[in-house]
Amino acid sequence: MVAPAEPFPFEHHARGLAVALRVQPGARKSGLEGLIELADGSVALKAKVNPPAQAGRANEALIKLLAKAWGLPRSDLELLSGHSQRRKTLLVIGDPPTLQARLMTWLAESGGRTGR
C-alpha cells in the first residue's frame, strides 16, 4: 500500500469533487484501505466491499460505505464511471474546494482506513 503525499485521488468537477477509486468486491470485510498507486502512476482510494459485483450490489455498498465514512448523505454521492469495473470515479456533489478540504482532513485523520 502506498500513501503518497502527492498527488491525491481528487479532481474538481463542475458539480463537485471527483474521487478516483479502486474497489474490491466480494471482500471478506468492507472497509477503506487508504491511498494506492495504480499501474499508470495515478493514485486512487482503495475500498473493499462485502457484496459481490452482481446487479449493482457492490456499487451500492461502496456508496453506503463512503457516505458513512465521510459523514455525507448518500444522495450527495454518484458513480460517474466504472459501474462494472474495479476502477471507478465517484462524484461527491457540492463545492469542490470545501469538499476537497474535508476529504483531505479525513485522509489525514484516518489514514484513509475505516473498517466495517
Side-chain angles (χ1 to χ4, degrees):
M1 198 75 49
V2 177
E6 293 283 339
F8 290 100
F10 310 123
E11 185 175 314
H12 288 211
H13 183 277
R15 295 176 43 219
L17 191 67
V19 181
L21 300 164
R22 173 71 166 86
V23 181
Q24 178 185 336
R28 191 171 181 214
K29 183 177 178 182
S30 294
L32 299 171
E33 296 289 308
L35 300 180
I36 61 167
E37 185 174 345
L38 302 174
D40 66 1
S42 64
V43 173
L45 179 61
K46 184 174 181 186
K48 294 181 177 182
V49 292
N50 183 258
Q54 293 177 335
R57 290 175 46 209
N59 291 336
E60 273 301 310
L62 173 67
I63 290 173
K64 183 178 178 180
L65 174 69
L66 293 171
K68 183 177 179 181
W70 296 339
L72 296 169
R74 292 198 311 190
S75 59
D76 284 356
L77 304 179
E78 175 184 315
L79 203 53
L80 288 177
S81 67
H83 291 80
S84 61
Q85 300 169 354
R86 289 180 181 228
R87 194 168 176 176
K88 301 178 184 296
T89 303
L90 181 89
L91 175 66
V92 183
I93 299 169
D95 178 58
T98 302
L99 290 169
Q100 185 165 347
R102 180 178 187 161
L103 295 184
M104 293 290 285
T105 299
W106 171 81
L107 271 173
E109 291 175 353
S110 69
R113 294 180 167 276
T114 61
R116 183 177 210 185

